[in-house]
Amino acid sequence: MHAIVIAGGKGTRLGPLTAETPKALMRFGEFTLLEITLLRLREAGADRVTLCVSHLGEMIRQVIGSGDALEIAVEYCHDPIPLGTAGPLRQVPHWDEPALVMNCDILTALDFGRLYRLHVDSGARMTVATQRRHVVVPFGVIEFAETGHEVRAIREKPSLPFDVSAGIYVVDPKAKDLIPMREPTDMPALMRALLEEGHSVQASSFTDVWHDIGTPAGYQAAQRDFAADPTAYLVPKIATPQP
């Protein structure tokens, strides 16, 4: 399995936390976030990982290197300017089979191998991992009858379900033909382009723990969960760092 990790963003929403440290190298206990991701990818069957870097990319190279210490082959694709979450894919060399693509600012216990196998079996051009989220409307919501003005019911502060993208995908290499050269492009734009061209885009819902650490609140929540139960994110044999 080939995996591509998008690690070139500036992390501006995290403010001073990422002024001198890339999001990928933010620490969780004895590990950086990127080390946790690489170890999980290795355990899921990935034998090659491409890190798409830009902002503070040299720092990531210095920490991760070739991946030998993590027993996984790591290579780099550098963009002079950040190209979003999909733009860097256009530059990835030797991408000739479906690849698991994910943002670097995710802490999750998702089974990457299962997601990859589901995509391959589906024959889709892209598969997106999704989670169900509930958003509470902080008002009383009026429901009208079909006549237009007659009130049928009122729902006080209802919780509405939405399926959201988890920032983790499996993408066929043919999809890169729809990505502009050297132009910032995000994954939603690529997804829309695939749909407009009539290509199949599948969703795979999961309930495993998942955190987006792109904001201070998200980072703090992930820190609390990781401290409470590191083994939820680390397989047992890597949960305790070696001396």
Side-chain angles (χ1 to χ4, degrees):
M1 182 173 71
H2 179 198
I4 302 171
V5 179
I6 308 300
K10 293 184 177 181
T12 53
R13 292 182 299 163
L14 286 163
L17 292 173
T18 51
E20 299 180 356
T21 302
K23 287 187 294 184
L25 297 185
M26 298 180 77
R27 300 201 71 83
F28 287 82
E30 298 295 323
F31 301 91
T32 66
L33 177 59
L34 184 53
E35 286 172 329
I36 294 171
T37 297
L38 292 174
L39 289 167
R40 289 195 65 85
L41 287 169
R42 184 194 73 189
E43 294 303 310
D47 54 4
R48 172 191 170 210
V49 177
T50 302
L51 298 182
C52 295
V53 299
S54 182
H55 176 67
L56 299 179
E58 192 55 38
M59 187 179 295
I60 294 176
R61 287 177 183 263
Q62 291 173 358
V63 172
I64 302 300
S66 63
D68 289 349
L70 302 174
E71 299 180 2
I72 188 169
V74 175
E75 60 194 42
Y76 296 85
C77 183
H78 183 268
D79 297 310
I81 61 171
L83 291 176
T85 54
L89 298 178
R90 183 81 188 197
Q91 320 299 327
V92 173
H94 311 299
W95 176 22
D96 51 15
E97 60 183 359
L100 189 142
V101 179
M102 64 179 294
N103 301 337
C104 74
D105 56 357
I106 293 170
L107 178 71
T108 184
L110 170 66
D111 184 342
F112 296 131
R114 176 179 177 275
L115 175 65
Y116 187 86
R117 291 189 295 271
L118 286 172
H119 171 83
V120 172
D121 291 343
S122 75
R125 192 60 56 93
M126 175 191 289
T127 297
V128 54
T130 63
Q131 274 213 336
R132 177 62 58 93
R133 287 286 189 266
H134 289 81
V135 177
V136 176
V137 180
F139 306 102
V141 175
I142 301 296
E143 294 183 2
F144 291 100
E146 293 182 1
T147 54
H149 297 288
E150 184 177 352
V151 174
R152 182 174 63 183
I154 179 170
R155 299 170 61 195
E156 187 63 24
K157 298 181 176 60
S159 176
L160 304 180
F162 294 93
D163 293 298
V164 303
S165 168
I168 307 167
Y169 315 83
V170 184
V171 186
D172 188 279
K174 293 179 182 177
K176 65 183 175 182
D177 295 337
L178 299 177
I179 302 173
M181 288 289 292
R182 300 181 181 85
E183 180 179 320
T185 307
D186 287 325
M187 290 300 287
L190 175 57
M191 194 180 304
R192 284 191 290 269
L194 287 168
L195 293 171
E196 289 170 0
E197 291 287 328
H199 299 296
S200 174
V201 176
Q202 299 286 328
S204 176
S205 180
F206 71 100
T207 58
D208 306 278
V209 66
W210 171 78
H211 290 283
D212 176 355
I213 70 156
T215 64
Y219 178 53
Q220 291 165 9
Q223 285 279 5
R224 289 193 297 269
D225 272 12
F226 184 86
D229 185 14
T231 58
Y233 306 94
L234 299 166
V235 293
K237 67 180 180 181
I238 63 172
T240 303
Q242 297 298 313

